[in-house]
Amino acid sequence: MRHYEAMFLVDADTTDEALEAIIEKYKNVVTDTGGVVGEVGKWENGRRRLAYELEGHQEAIYILMNFEAGSDTPHELDRMFRISDDVFRHIIVRQDQREE
């Protein structure tokens, strides 16, 4: 299993209850495909102004999720992000193991 980090942007006007449901939906995608979710939460207090307008949004809530999974999980998570109306930008990166 490899370590991954996913960051996704949600509309800044999303309520806390709806935000929890969105986070839980993507955590379930990871666990249903055999992955293990680590830390999940708002990145740097969550709500931030965007550098430029994206799809009519000037602010967004940044959610950062760390997880361990096989190579098929990021593909499925990416597919879910793309078809979702909840998320308007996302990125998934593999974290390399550092040798000391």
Side-chain angles (χ1 to χ4, degrees):
M1 291 179 62
R2 294 182 171 161
H3 297 276
Y4 294 92
E5 183 176 88
M7 179 173 282
F8 51 98
L9 296 140
V10 179
D11 186 11
D13 296 329
T14 305
T15 64
D16 287 338
E17 296 83 25
L19 187 62
E20 288 300 320
I22 292 168
I23 292 170
E24 195 63 34
K25 178 168 83 171
Y26 296 114
K27 284 173 58 175
N28 288 338
V29 170
V30 173
T31 56
D32 290 348
T33 56
V36 178
V37 178
E39 293 182 43
V40 180
K42 295 179 182 178
W43 180 63
E44 293 185 5
N45 298 325
R47 187 178 179 135
R48 297 181 50 100
R49 183 163 178 78
L50 300 172
Y52 53 90
E53 190 172 310
L54 291 172
E55 298 180 19
H57 301 281
Q58 293 183 354
E59 290 186 337
I61 298 174
Y62 286 62
I63 306 297
L64 183 64
M65 178 171 63
N66 291 303
F67 62 97
E68 292 182 20
S71 61
D72 59 333
T73 301
H75 296 292
E76 178 62 18
L77 191 59
D78 182 57
R79 187 185 74 79
M80 292 298 293
F81 282 143
R82 288 178 189 272
I83 63 174
S84 172
D85 292 332
D86 303 329
V87 174
F88 59 91
R89 281 290 192 267
H90 70 279
I91 186 169
I92 303 169
V93 294
R94 188 179 80 193
Q95 297 177 325
D96 291 328
Q97 298 293 331
R98 294 186 180 171
E99 294 183 25
E100 295 183 23

